[in-house]
């Protein structure tokens, strides 16, 4: 017979450590976008980057990305409203992974590896909850009910899909010539 050799205290410690570390990483990344901390560009530079990537309106997209990382990261680190926090972080990271996907898998090539792992980790907390050492546990899991977990996890792919669709639509509109303009070399005569 095989016996489990991990104690409940060790499981609680591991879960708490992982949740706090994940939240801290997300707070740092969001702070780069929102405040320019840790070598980030702040809202203005992030807005320019968002616009170039096809996220419109760019400033709103920059704010949402920053809040999706920093706000959800802080909530995850504290274990507060974990289903919503996990879903918000997972959605933000899922959209980021979609932007990096054309570069392949590995982060060294600019691929989706890093945001995908962060998103999957956030999803795991949305599914499994924050653990015993958390604000959710301290408040009697008022914002961490099983039905909230189900709704949060269901919302993640829907929200990612909407953002990917909106981005693709904006990029397609960027590729179209301005109305009334004639592409060069199409053989049509310009009015005289």
């Amino acid at each position: 017979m095989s016996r489990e050799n991990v104690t409940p205290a060790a499981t609680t410690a591991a879960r708490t450590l992982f949740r706090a570390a994940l939240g801290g990483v997300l707070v740092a990344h969001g702070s780069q976008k929102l405040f320019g901390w840790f070598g980030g560009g702040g809202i203005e530079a992030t807005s320019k980057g968002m616009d170039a990537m096809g996220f419109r309106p760019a400033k709103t997209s920059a704010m949402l990305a920053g809040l999706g990382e920093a706000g959800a990261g802080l909530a995850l680190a504290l274990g507060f409203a974990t289903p919503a926090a996990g879903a918000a972080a997972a959605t933000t990271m899922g959209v980021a992974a979609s932007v990096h996907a054309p570069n392949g898998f590995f982060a060294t090539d600019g691929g989706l590896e890093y945001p995908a792992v962060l998103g999957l980790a956030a999803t795991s907390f949305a599914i499994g909850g924050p653990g015993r050492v958390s604000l959710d546990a301290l408040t009697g899991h008022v914002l961490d009910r099983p039905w909230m977990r189900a709704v949060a996890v269901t919302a993640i792919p829907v929200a990612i899909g909407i953002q990917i669709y909106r981005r693709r639509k904006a990029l397609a509109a960027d590729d179209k010539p301005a109305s009334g303009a004639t592409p060069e070399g199409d053989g049509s005569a310009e009015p005289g």
Side-chain angles (χ1 to χ4, degrees):
M1 275 188 172
S2 173
R3 291 187 2 190
E4 185 86 24
N5 66 355
V6 179
T7 66
T11 301
T12 296
R15 179 185 245 170
T16 303
L17 178 64
F18 183 48
R19 193 190 72 237
L22 172 64
V25 167
L26 290 166
V27 167
H29 279 276
S31 296
Q32 288 180 309
K33 291 172 179 64
L34 293 172
F35 312 116
W37 297 351
F38 311 113
I43 288 295
E44 293 309 315
T46 302
S47 295
K48 289 177 184 172
M50 290 290 190
D51 187 66
M53 289 184 281
F55 293 103
R56 313 280 162 56
K59 191 165 190 172
T60 301
S61 296
M63 292 288 291
L64 290 173
L67 290 172
E69 291 176 0
L74 180 59
L76 278 172
L78 297 172
F80 182 69
T82 305
T91 297
T92 303
M93 292 296 99
V95 174
S98 76
V99 172
H100 290 272
N103 298 324
F105 178 75
F106 293 103
T108 53
D109 297 326
L112 62 85
E113 174 184 21
Y114 186 64
V117 167
L118 292 177
L120 289 170
T123 302
S124 74
F125 286 106
I127 294 168
R132 288 188 272 177
V133 180
S134 64
L135 287 179
D136 279 336
L138 187 65
T139 60
H141 295 280
V142 173
L143 298 175
D144 178 34
R145 302 281 189 212
W147 69 266
M148 293 174 183
R149 293 177 189 182
V151 169
V153 172
T154 302
I156 294 168
V158 173
I160 291 170
I162 289 168
Q163 289 305 312
I164 290 171
Y165 170 78
R166 291 181 66 214
R167 176 177 180 250
R168 287 184 180 161
K169 189 174 171 184
L171 289 172
D174 288 351
D175 289 341
K176 290 181 184 176
S179 62
T182 307
E184 291 182 330
D186 70 351
S188 65
E190 291 193 347

